[in-house]
Amino acid sequence: MRWTVAERHPIVSRLSGVPILTNPAQRRYGLGLAVIASGAVFFSLITTFSKFAYQGGATPLALTWIRFAAFVAVIGVCQLARGASFRLPRRNLVATLPMAVGMMMMSIGYLSSVVYIKVSLAVVLLYSFPLMVGVLAAVSGREAIRPAKALALLVAFGGLVLAVGLDAGSLDWRGVALALTAALGIAATMTFGGPYLEGVDTFTVNFWTNVWMLIAMAVYLSAFGGAALPAGTSGWIGLAGATLCYILGFVLMFVAIKLLPPSQTAVMMNV
């Protein structure tokens, strides 16, 4: 789907000045904004809960693998309870593989980057992804990025830098590269994932995307190890909270990708 301004711009009542979602495209857009805003809240809470898990002795690799496993289990049970099929058309099933690669880049890249650079710098670099989305969407023809929208992307990124603070400390190219890899992964998924969500069950796409990530992580851990679970109540609460927020945030993000143009989804993730 190629998005146009007419589909996104809400009609405003002359009497009240309140936007009115008067057609299906506008209602779709309004729902998408609400969904991605909710998803952004859950994603933002992952870091908070993860800190408790790490303080309890958990490793990033363990946390990543457990949330993939939990996602597959929870969404799988939901699909069975709904009587929904796990089948996808070949085109959409194949597309879940690059989606999984993008989300693995985001998960592992971000969690690993903080080993080499400060968390504040990692956050700023990760949330450069809306700028990447703008470039990818424009170059690929997925969305026309007009000057006003380009300015909005820059302002959103600048606001994040001011809010978080850019404390570079001692720069390590490995941390910078990992954080930018994470940003590129989520940017590519947001930009190119939308067309493959049209006409299919988003939960089924989510399920298969996490199945591939779960398999890849299981193979890596079997070969190289590096997984450690937390000890103590607070550590397990942190692990459970981070996992739950991941499940909710991931589902809502993919629903939003289906409903919104790429740049709008990216900007709202920065709010």
Side-chain angles (χ1 to χ4, degrees):
M1 176 182 290
R2 182 180 175 86
W3 292 87
T4 64
V5 174
E7 290 173 329
R8 301 194 305 270
H9 190 68
I11 297 175
V12 178
S13 168
R14 293 181 180 179
L15 296 177
S16 64
V18 177
I20 304 173
L21 303 178
T22 57
N23 62 51
Q26 291 172 356
R27 287 193 290 272
R28 172 192 178 106
Y29 184 69
L31 176 61
L33 292 179
V35 168
I36 192 58
S38 301
V41 170
F42 286 115
F43 272 126
S44 69
L45 291 173
I46 290 176
T47 305
T48 301
F49 282 112
S50 296
K51 289 180 181 178
F52 292 108
Y54 296 152
Q55 289 169 1
T59 59
L61 288 176
L63 198 61
T64 302
W65 184 84
I66 287 173
R67 67 188 193 180
F68 293 160
F71 190 100
V72 169
V74 171
I75 298 303
V77 169
C78 289
Q79 290 292 85
L80 292 172
R82 294 167 56 213
S85 173
F86 290 93
R87 295 178 62 86
L88 285 172
R90 180 180 177 83
R91 169 179 177 270
N92 303 82
L93 181 62
V94 171
T96 61
L97 288 169
M99 288 183 194
V101 171
M103 297 310 295
M104 282 281 286
M105 289 168 62
M106 187 273 287
S107 295
I108 297 177
Y110 178 59
L111 289 175
S112 301
S113 68
V114 297
V115 175
Y116 304 104
I117 58 178
K118 291 182 176 293
V119 173
S120 59
L121 177 59
V123 169
V124 169
L125 292 173
L126 174 66
Y127 280 89
S128 67
F129 77 81
L131 301 178
M132 296 183 184
V133 168
V135 173
L136 291 174
V139 171
S140 65
R142 281 278 291 128
E143 183 184 358
I145 305 297
R146 293 175 173 79
K149 179 155 287 186
L151 179 61
L153 290 170
L154 290 171
V155 169
F157 181 67
L160 175 71
V161 173
L162 291 175
V164 174
L166 189 57
D167 183 6
S170 55
L171 281 177
D172 187 314
W173 70 268
R174 292 171 295 182
V176 172
L178 285 166
L180 290 177
T181 296
L184 180 60
I186 192 171
T189 302
M190 283 190 171
T191 303
F192 302 111
Y196 299 98
L197 296 171
E198 294 291 339
V200 296
D201 185 356
T202 304
F203 283 92
T204 305
V205 174
N206 291 165
F207 175 82
W208 284 111
T209 301
N210 277 268
V211 164
W212 307 136
M213 292 192 287
L214 174 61
I215 293 172
M217 185 61 70
V219 170
Y220 179 88
L221 291 175
S222 297
F224 302 103
L229 296 175
T233 303
S234 62
W236 281 101
I237 290 175
L239 187 149
T243 301
L244 178 61
C245 288
Y246 169 78
I247 293 171
L248 295 173
F250 193 96
V251 169
L252 291 171
M253 185 187 76
F254 268 76
V255 171
I257 290 173
K258 187 174 183 177
L259 297 172
L260 292 174
S263 63
Q264 186 67 67
T265 307
V267 169
M268 289 299 293
M269 288 289 286
N270 255 1
V271 174

